[in-house]
Coordinates of all heavy atoms in Angstrom, one line a residue:
Chain W
E192 N -4.2 5.1 50.2 CA -4.5 5.5 48.8 C -4.5 6.9 48.6 O -5.5 7.7 48.4 CB -6.0 4.9 48.5 CG -6.0 3.5 48.2 CD -5.3 3.1 46.9 OE1 -5.7 3.6 45.7 OE2 -4.3 2.3 47.0
T193 N -3.3 7.5 48.4 CA -2.9 8.8 48.0 C -3.9 9.9 48.8 O -4.5 10.6 48.2 CB -3.1 9.0 46.5 OG1 -4.4 8.7 46.1 CG2 -2.1 8.3 45.8
V194 N -4.0 9.7 50.1 CA -4.8 10.5 51.0 C -3.9 11.6 51.5 O -2.7 11.3 51.7 CB -5.4 9.7 52.1 CG1 -6.2 10.5 53.0 CG2 -6.2 8.4 51.6
P195 N -4.3 12.8 51.5 CA -3.5 14.0 51.9 C -3.0 13.7 53.4 O -3.7 13.0 54.2 CB -4.5 15.2 51.9 CG -5.6 14.8 51.0 CD -5.6 13.3 51.0
N196 N -1.8 14.2 53.7 CA -1.2 14.0 55.0 C -2.0 14.6 56.2 O -1.7 14.2 57.3 CB 0.2 14.7 55.0 CG 1.2 14.0 54.1 OD1 1.0 12.9 53.8 ND2 2.2 14.7 53.7
R197 N -3.0 15.3 55.9 CA -3.9 15.9 56.9 C -4.7 14.8 57.5 O -5.2 14.9 58.7 CB -4.8 16.9 56.3 CG -4.1 18.1 55.8 CD -5.1 19.2 55.2 NE -5.9 18.7 54.2 CZ -7.2 18.3 54.2 NH1 -7.8 18.3 55.4 NH2 -7.9 17.8 53.2
F198 N -4.8 13.6 56.8 CA -5.5 12.5 57.3 C -4.5 11.5 58.0 O -3.6 11.0 57.3 CB -6.3 11.8 56.3 CG -7.4 12.5 55.7 CD1 -7.2 13.6 54.8 CD2 -8.7 12.3 56.1 CE1 -8.3 14.4 54.3 CE2 -9.8 13.0 55.5 CZ -9.6 14.1 54.7
S199 N -4.7 11.2 59.2 CA -3.8 10.3 59.9 C -4.6 9.2 60.7 O -5.3 9.6 61.6 CB -2.9 11.0 60.8 OG -3.6 11.8 61.8
P200 N -4.6 8.0 60.2 CA -5.2 6.9 60.9 C -4.4 6.5 62.1 O -3.2 6.5 62.1 CB -5.4 5.8 59.9 CG -4.2 6.1 58.9 CD -3.9 7.6 59.0
K201 N -5.1 6.0 63.1 CA -4.3 5.5 64.2 C -5.0 4.2 64.8 O -6.3 4.2 65.0 CB -4.3 6.6 65.4 CG -3.3 7.6 65.1 CD -3.1 8.6 66.3 CE -2.0 9.6 66.0 NZ -2.1 10.3 64.8
S202 N -4.3 3.2 64.9 CA -4.8 1.9 65.3 C -4.3 1.5 66.7 O -3.1 0.9 66.8 CB -4.7 0.9 64.3 OG -5.2 -0.4 64.7
P203 N -4.9 1.7 67.8 CA -4.2 1.4 69.2 C -4.3 0.0 69.4 O -3.4 -0.6 70.1 CB -5.2 2.1 70.1 CG -6.4 2.4 69.4 CD -6.0 2.5 68.0
D204 N -5.2 -0.8 68.8 CA -5.3 -2.2 68.8 C -6.1 -2.7 67.6 O -6.7 -1.9 67.0 CB -5.9 -2.7 70.2 CG -7.2 -2.2 70.5 OD1 -8.2 -2.4 69.6 OD2 -7.4 -1.4 71.4
K205 N -6.1 -4.0 67.5 CA -6.7 -4.4 66.1 C -8.3 -4.3 66.1 O -8.9 -4.4 65.1 CB -6.3 -5.9 65.8 CG -7.0 -6.9 66.6 CD -6.6 -8.3 66.0 CE -7.5 -9.4 66.6 NZ -7.2 -10.7 66.1
A206 N -8.9 -3.9 67.3 CA -10.4 -3.7 67.4 C -10.7 -2.3 67.1 O -11.9 -2.0 66.9 CB -10.9 -4.1 68.7
H207 N -9.8 -1.4 67.0 CA -10.0 0.1 66.9 C -9.2 0.7 65.7 O -7.9 0.3 65.6 CB -9.7 0.8 68.1 CG -10.5 0.4 69.2 ND1 -10.2 -0.7 70.1 CD2 -11.6 1.0 69.8 CE1 -11.2 -0.7 71.0 NE2 -12.1 0.2 70.8
L208 N -9.7 1.5 65.0 CA -9.1 2.3 63.9 C -9.7 3.7 63.9 O -10.9 3.8 63.4 CB -9.2 1.6 62.6 CG -8.4 2.3 61.4 CD1 -6.9 2.5 61.8 CD2 -8.6 1.7 60.1
N209 N -9.0 4.6 64.4 CA -9.5 6.0 64.5 C -8.9 6.8 63.3 O -7.8 6.6 62.8 CB -9.1 6.6 65.8 CG -9.7 5.7 66.9 OD1 -10.7 5.2 66.9 ND2 -8.9 5.7 68.0
L210 N -9.6 7.9 63.0 CA -9.2 8.8 61.8 C -9.1 10.2 62.3 O -10.2 10.7 62.7 CB -10.1 8.6 60.7 CG -9.8 9.4 59.4 CD1 -8.5 9.0 58.8 CD2 -10.9 9.4 58.4

Side-chain angles (χ1 to χ4, degrees):
Chain W
E192 282 293 301
T193 59
V194 179
N196 291 337
R197 299 182 295 104
F198 291 79
S199 53
K201 285 185 172 53
S202 182
D204 55 62
K205 75 173 192 177
H207 296 84
L208 182 61
N209 304 322
L210 183 64

